[in-house]
């Protein structure tokens, strides 16, 4: 169901259990990786979100068959033909940024790829220079022509690639190219996110040889043509950003919640910050149990590449701090345009002052419900969370952004006792 608004009213403390599906930031890359080898794949724990539908549309456009299982709602079937079209069309790619990760596997499989420059959330430029430079170092010729990235290589050759920054997207694209290259590849300063490890596990199931998983140096022994990759089944790692959303909602509304499927080991620093704010966070069998008092305390925090606090976590921390006691300073080190949601929180009465990539948050006792607008997936979800701590009604418009990353955020919060609905 398409949604346009999320309507939130504050109410009683949250209580109960909520489950976390597979990670958006992993499943889209796993779907792209299926392009590396002909055959049938089954991905389980797949979230029913808009971005998965968009990636499915992209895979169909290049020749694949993608269908949801008729019995298991989280099981996705992907059939990859012997020949695929190595062109990712603009009308699909411009709708979500993760689409650029088809570049590496298309190039590896077909010797050429033409991918439109990606679109996606609007919180500052995220150039693909590192993707391009890395592929060039593996023997590809890459040009940007009329809004498309056009790459070709008679044969990809293993080599050493040093990333200027531990870019998740660049690491993923290079991994998928390197597993089919001839010879060994080393990717230094690679991203270390759990979603990268999930991709490495899937590629290993497909027959790839990858060392250093979870570290900043990945070593890949490319299959070339001697040992071709093959299809595999895989369950997607749980979504740590969705888990953080539920924990933040609890922090604003207070109460006790069990987040089933949440991986504490994937969000240790965030859980440490929540503990400093006054929440009781306990890793439990199959999830995280959390208790929050009526009002939290503010903390200082900065976003950093994993294992630091994720940039996707920051809007939720700011929403929590908006009604916490004291003053907190937050720093966004990764995306300079990501404080746009702060203006919407100010409409709700939040006392937040921004300066470049810093924000000073002075907590108020209560926010005031107001009409606000979602600029991106996490901003929209964070505004809904903030509404749990506001007097009156908060209406989050342009909530279609939220549906790109959440199966049913309003329904999940309502299941815990929150007064939230989507329409």
């Amino acid at each position: 169901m398409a949604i346009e608004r999320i309507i939130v009213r504050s109410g009683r403390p949250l209580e109960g259990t909520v489950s976390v599906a597979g990670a958006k930031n992993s499943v889209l890359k796993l779907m792209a990786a299926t392009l590396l080898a002909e055959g049938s794949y089954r991905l389980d724990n797949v979230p029913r979100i808009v971005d998965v539908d968009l990636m499915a549309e992209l895979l169909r456009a290049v020749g694949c068959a993608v269908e949801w299982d008729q019995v298991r709602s989280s099981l996705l079937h992907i059939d990859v033909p012997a020949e695929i079209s190595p062109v990712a069309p603009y009308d699909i790619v411009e709708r979500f940024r993760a689409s650029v990760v088809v570049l590496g596997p298309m190039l590896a499989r077909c010797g050429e790829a033409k991918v439109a420059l990606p679109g996606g959330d609007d919180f500052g430029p995220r150039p693909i220079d590192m993707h391009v430079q890395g592929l060039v170092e593996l023997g590809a010729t890459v040009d940007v022509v009329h809004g498309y990235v056009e790459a070709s290589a008679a044969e990809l050759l293993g080599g050493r690639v040093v990333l200027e920054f531990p870019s998740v997207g660049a690491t993923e694209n290079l991994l998928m190219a390197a597993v089919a290259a001839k010879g060994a590849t080393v990717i230094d300063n690679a991203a270390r996110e759990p979603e990268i490890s999930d991709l490495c596990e899937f590629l290993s199931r497909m027959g790839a040889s990858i060392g250093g998983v979870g570290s900043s140096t990945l070593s890949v022994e490319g299959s070339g043509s001697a040992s071709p990759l093959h299809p595999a089944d895989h369950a997607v790692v749980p979504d740590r950003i969705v888990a953080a959303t539920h924990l933040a909602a609890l922090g604003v509304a207070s109460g006790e919640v069990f987040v089933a499927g949440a991986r504490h080991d994937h969000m240790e620093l965030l859980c440490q910050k929540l503990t400093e704010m006054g929440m009781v966070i306990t890793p439990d069998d199959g999830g995280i149990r959390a208790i929050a008092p009526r009002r939290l305390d503010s903390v200082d925090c900065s976003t950093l590449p994993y294992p630091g606090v994720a940039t996707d976590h920051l809007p939720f921390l700011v929403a929590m701090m908006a009604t916490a006691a004291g003053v907190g300073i937050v720093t966004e080190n990764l995306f300079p345009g990501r404080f746009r949601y702060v203006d919407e929180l100010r409409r709700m009465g939040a006392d937040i002052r921004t300066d470049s990539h810093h924000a000073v948050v002075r907590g108020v006792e209560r926010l005031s419900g107001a009409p606000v607008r979602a600029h991106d997936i996490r901003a929209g979800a964070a505004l809904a969370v903030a509404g749990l701590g506001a007097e009156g009604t908060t209406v989050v418009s342009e909530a279609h952004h939220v549906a790109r990353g959440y199966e049913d955020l309003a329904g999940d919060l309502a299941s815990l006792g929150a007064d939230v609905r989507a329409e």
Side-chain angles (χ1 to χ4, degrees):
M1 180 185 74
I3 65 170
E4 287 303 323
R5 303 193 304 168
I6 297 176
I7 301 168
V8 186
R9 297 181 182 88
S10 62
R12 65 181 180 84
L14 303 185
E15 182 179 2
T17 297
V18 64
S19 297
V20 175
K24 176 184 88 75
N25 290 338
S26 182
V27 68
L28 302 179
K29 324 308 170 59
L30 301 175
M31 292 173 72
T34 65
L35 296 175
L36 285 164
E38 176 189 359
S40 297
Y41 299 79
R42 295 192 308 170
L43 298 179
D44 203 356
N45 199 32
V46 177
R48 302 291 289 253
I49 56 175
V50 169
D51 273 17
V52 166
D53 291 337
L54 290 173
M55 182 60 85
E57 188 178 342
L58 177 52
L59 293 185
R60 292 186 189 108
V62 304
C64 303
V66 185
E67 300 293 339
W68 290 102
D69 191 81
Q70 296 300 305
V71 177
R72 285 182 58 83
S73 63
S74 65
L75 184 61
L76 192 66
H77 297 268
I78 302 174
D79 289 305
V80 181
E83 293 186 7
I84 61 172
S85 169
V87 179
Y90 170 78
D91 63 332
I92 302 174
V93 171
E94 61 94 15
R95 287 184 276 168
F96 69 123
R97 182 164 295 271
S99 55
V100 74
V101 294
V102 300
L103 180 62
M106 276 185 177
L107 177 62
R109 174 83 181 278
C110 305
E112 60 179 328
K114 183 178 179 181
V115 179
L117 289 170
D121 284 330
D122 181 16
F123 46 79
R126 288 176 284 173
I128 62 169
D129 301 15
M130 282 183 283
H131 303 239
V132 170
Q133 184 57 39
L135 292 174
V136 168
E137 292 182 30
L138 296 183
T141 299
V142 186
D143 294 303
V144 178
V145 182
H146 303 303
Y148 279 82
V149 180
E150 297 184 359
S152 62
E155 184 177 47
L156 290 173
L157 301 173
R160 182 168 180 263
V161 179
V162 181
L163 297 176
E164 293 181 19
F165 176 84
S167 161
V168 173
T171 300
E172 291 163 336
N173 246 331
L174 293 173
L175 262 173
M176 289 187 279
V179 294
K182 181 179 180 180
T185 296
V186 174
I187 305 172
D188 270 329
N189 200 25
R192 298 168 55 193
E193 274 75 0
E195 296 79 18
I196 298 288
S197 296
D198 202 33
L199 176 61
C200 288
E201 182 180 342
F202 181 53
L203 293 171
S204 296
R205 290 175 185 269
M206 293 175 63
S209 176
I210 305 173
V213 177
S215 77
S216 59
T217 301
L218 295 172
S219 57
V220 182
E221 190 61 46
S223 63
S225 58
S227 179
L229 300 171
H230 54 76
D233 297 341
H234 185 73
V236 185
V237 69
D239 197 315
R240 61 196 171 103
I241 311 301
V242 173
T245 307
H246 298 320
L247 292 174
L250 175 68
V252 171
S254 76
E256 180 173 357
V257 166
F258 180 65
V259 186
R263 292 276 301 267
H264 185 274
D265 58 326
H266 289 173
M267 44 201 301
E268 286 191 51
L269 194 52
L270 173 70
C271 289
Q272 179 181 316
K273 289 294 179 184
L274 297 181
T275 300
E276 291 174 18
M277 295 180 78
M279 294 178 65
V280 178
I281 304 292
T282 307
D284 209 330
D285 185 28
I288 294 175
R289 191 168 302 280
I291 302 172
R294 191 191 70 81
R295 194 180 189 195
L296 301 177
D297 296 317
S298 287
V299 292
D300 297 339
C301 65
S302 301
T303 60
L304 289 169
Y306 189 84
V309 172
T311 185
D312 278 348
H313 286 159
L314 195 62
F316 303 109
L317 286 166
V318 172
M320 295 169 70
M321 291 164 61
T323 53
V327 179
I329 300 174
V330 299
T331 304
E332 173 54 76
N333 289 310
L334 303 180
F335 296 115
R338 195 137 199 205
F339 277 141
R340 292 182 63 189
Y341 63 89
V342 166
D343 287 338
E344 305 302 312
L345 287 172
R346 289 192 187 113
R347 289 177 56 82
M348 299 173 66
D351 184 353
I352 306 174
R353 179 168 48 87
T354 58
D355 179 13
S356 182
H357 58 290
H358 302 286
V360 179
V361 187
R362 299 179 184 276
V364 298
E365 186 72 27
R366 297 282 284 175
L367 297 175
S368 299
V372 292
R373 183 162 66 96
H375 293 288
D376 61 67
I377 301 171
R378 309 307 173 188
L383 291 169
V385 165
L388 297 174
E391 293 180 352
T393 302
T394 299
V395 179
V396 183
S397 63
E398 299 191 24
H400 57 273
H401 288 298
V402 178
R404 288 184 45 218
Y406 295 82
E407 289 186 321
D408 183 10
L409 178 61
D412 285 343
L413 295 177
S415 74
L416 299 174
D419 188 351
V420 183
R421 75 176 192 273
E423 59 181 35

